[in-house]
């Protein structure tokens, strides 16, 4: 082997060694960078019920309430089918974990129980009550804590269950409430979301949402007007005169 060939090979090998160091550094940097968080695409199917749904529903509820119903937005079968889908998604996401399902009283009651009954991961239940609406139809925006949790949420995987997100002020308050509680995670599941009504200053990420809801005064499936209608097994809309006269 000539001296010249040896010199070329040596230079080449030195370059290769330098390149390998460069690759190692690059790999280290890549590992250090965190995977970007996947943006969740929440499926929010909307559904308009038929006159037949309304007729059937009217026959099974107190006649004075039936008179006040304008329409059915989401009949029971549609809600249950959607809850099964949501529960499957939640069970998948919480594999190997236990959930602390925190219901926001009182509206959460039917949604929470009917969602949780389809879960295939373990869960515990707790409740919190805040208030902003009183007996009117518009949120005062002044959210107050009326009943605190019974359990310590520290280290737990919290799943907040909420019937309806309107302006988002209630959940913004709840998010703040949990922010210093050292929970393992905090996610939100809601039955209905009125996206059009969301307060512009509130940036809320809803993890699991049943249906997008039109801007109507809805009752049933946990939701009330002056404490009436909560246990209706569907989501209906009241005639205007039914809530304007109060
Ligand atoms: C309703 C609903 C949500 C809140 C949403 O509760 O159940 O908790 O309003 O409104 P926001 O997004 O504008 O804050 P409400 O205060 O009527 O109490 P309830 O659950 O006892 O019905």
């Amino acid at each position: 082997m000539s001296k010249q060939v040896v010199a070329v090979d040596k230079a080449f090998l030195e370059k290769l060694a330098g390149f390998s160091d460069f690759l190692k550094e690059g790999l280290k940097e890549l590992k250090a960078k965190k995977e970007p968080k996947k943006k969740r695409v929440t499926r929010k199917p909307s559904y308009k019920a038929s006159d037949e749904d309304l007729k059937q529903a009217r026959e099974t509820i107190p006649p004075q309430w039936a008179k006040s119903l304008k329409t059915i937005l989401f009949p029971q079968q549609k809600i249950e089918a959607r809850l099964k889908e949501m529960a499957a998604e939640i069970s998948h996401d919480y594999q190997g974990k236990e959930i602390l399902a925190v219901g926001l009283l009182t509206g959460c009651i039917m949604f929470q129980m009917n969602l949780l009954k389809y879960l295939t991961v373990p869960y515990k239940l707790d409740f919190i009550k805040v208030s902003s609406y009183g007996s009117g139809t518009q949120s005062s925006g002044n959210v107050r804590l009326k009943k605190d949790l019974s359990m310590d949420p520290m280290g737990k995987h919290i799943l907040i269950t909420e019937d309806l997100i309107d302006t988002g002020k209630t959940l913004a308050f709840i998010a703040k409430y949990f922010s210093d509680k050292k929970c393992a995670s905090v996610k939100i599941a809601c039955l209905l979301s009125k996206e059009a009504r969301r307060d512009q200053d509130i940036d809320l990420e809803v993890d699991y949402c049943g249906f997008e809801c039109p801007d109507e005064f809805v009752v049933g499936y946990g939701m009330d007007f002056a404490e009436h209608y909560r246990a209706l097994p569907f989501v209906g809309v009241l005639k205007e005169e039914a809530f304007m006269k109060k």
Side-chain angles (χ1 to χ4, degrees):
M1 200 183 285
S2 74
K3 272 187 182 172
Q4 197 186 326
V5 173
V6 172
V8 168
D9 279 355
K10 201 178 163 199
F12 179 67
L13 286 173
E14 276 169 357
K15 264 191 192 166
L16 261 186
F19 187 59
S20 134
D21 286 346
F22 169 78
L23 280 179
K24 274 183 204 159
E25 282 307 305
L27 264 175
K28 254 192 220 166
E29 264 180 46
L30 264 180
K31 277 184 188 164
K33 273 187 192 164
K34 273 193 176 169
E35 285 271 306
K37 213 178 157 193
K38 264 192 197 166
K39 183 133 181 72
R40 179 181 290 277
V41 182
T42 311
R43 205 159 70 77
K44 289 171 280 185
S46 60
Y47 176 79
K48 200 91 182 136
S50 65
D51 289 346
E52 188 54 31
D53 292 323
L54 181 60
K55 191 169 164 278
Q56 275 181 19
R58 279 194 166 130
E59 285 162 7
T60 58
I61 66 174
Q64 54 274 56
W65 289 3
K67 268 193 239 158
S68 302
L69 267 188
K70 183 161 86 177
T71 189
I72 305 290
L73 271 182
F74 304 106
Q76 188 173 13
Q77 321 83 275
K78 292 285 168 188
I79 297 176
E80 290 283 326
R82 182 68 185 121
L83 297 192
K84 276 185 193 168
E85 289 179 350
M86 291 171 77
E89 199 185 342
I90 293 169
S91 300
H92 173 267
D93 292 355
Y94 284 87
Q95 279 300 310
K97 296 171 185 162
E98 181 178 87
I99 294 173
L100 176 59
V102 176
L104 299 196
L105 292 170
T106 308
C108 70
I109 44 171
M110 284 185 83
F111 170 59
Q112 188 181 41
M113 290 306 149
N114 286 321
L115 176 73
L116 297 183
K117 75 185 179 191
Y118 294 124
L119 288 190
T120 56
V121 288
Y123 54 85
K124 286 180 179 169
L125 275 188
D126 206 344
F127 297 94
I128 201 167
K129 186 163 176 66
V130 297
S131 180
S132 66
Y133 273 43
S135 61
T137 60
Q138 292 291 312
S139 170
S140 65
N142 182 19
V143 185
R144 290 179 298 118
L145 187 68
K146 289 182 86 178
K147 183 219 165 289
D148 207 344
L149 289 170
S150 307
M151 282 177 237
D152 182 357
M154 189 166 79
K156 310 246 173 30
H157 292 283
I158 308 295
L159 180 65
I160 299 164
T161 58
E162 169 73 301
D163 51 331
L164 169 74
I165 307 177
D166 189 350
T167 63
K169 284 175 179 157
T170 303
L171 277 178
F173 175 89
I174 292 295
K176 203 160 163 231
Y177 168 90
F178 279 111
S179 65
D180 63 351
K181 300 268 188 272
K182 298 195 171 78
C183 305
S185 66
V186 180
K187 287 189 177 184
I188 299 169
C190 75
L191 176 63
L192 302 177
S193 173
K194 287 184 179 175
E195 301 271 313
R197 295 251 320 148
R198 201 76 87 247
D199 192 300
Q200 287 192 335
D201 298 333
I202 292 174
D203 181 23
L204 208 59
E205 193 182 327
V206 182
D207 301 278
Y208 310 98
C209 179
F211 302 96
E212 170 76 54
C213 184
D215 188 11
E216 302 269 11
F217 193 78
V218 286
V219 292
Y221 225 84
M223 291 167 284
D224 73 313
F225 173 61
E227 296 303 326
H228 284 146
Y229 309 102
R230 283 205 197 268
L232 295 183
F234 52 81
V235 174
V237 176
L238 287 187
K239 289 177 183 164
E240 207 163 289
E241 61 263 29
F243 57 88
M244 293 305 280
K245 66 186 174 197
K246 299 253 169 176

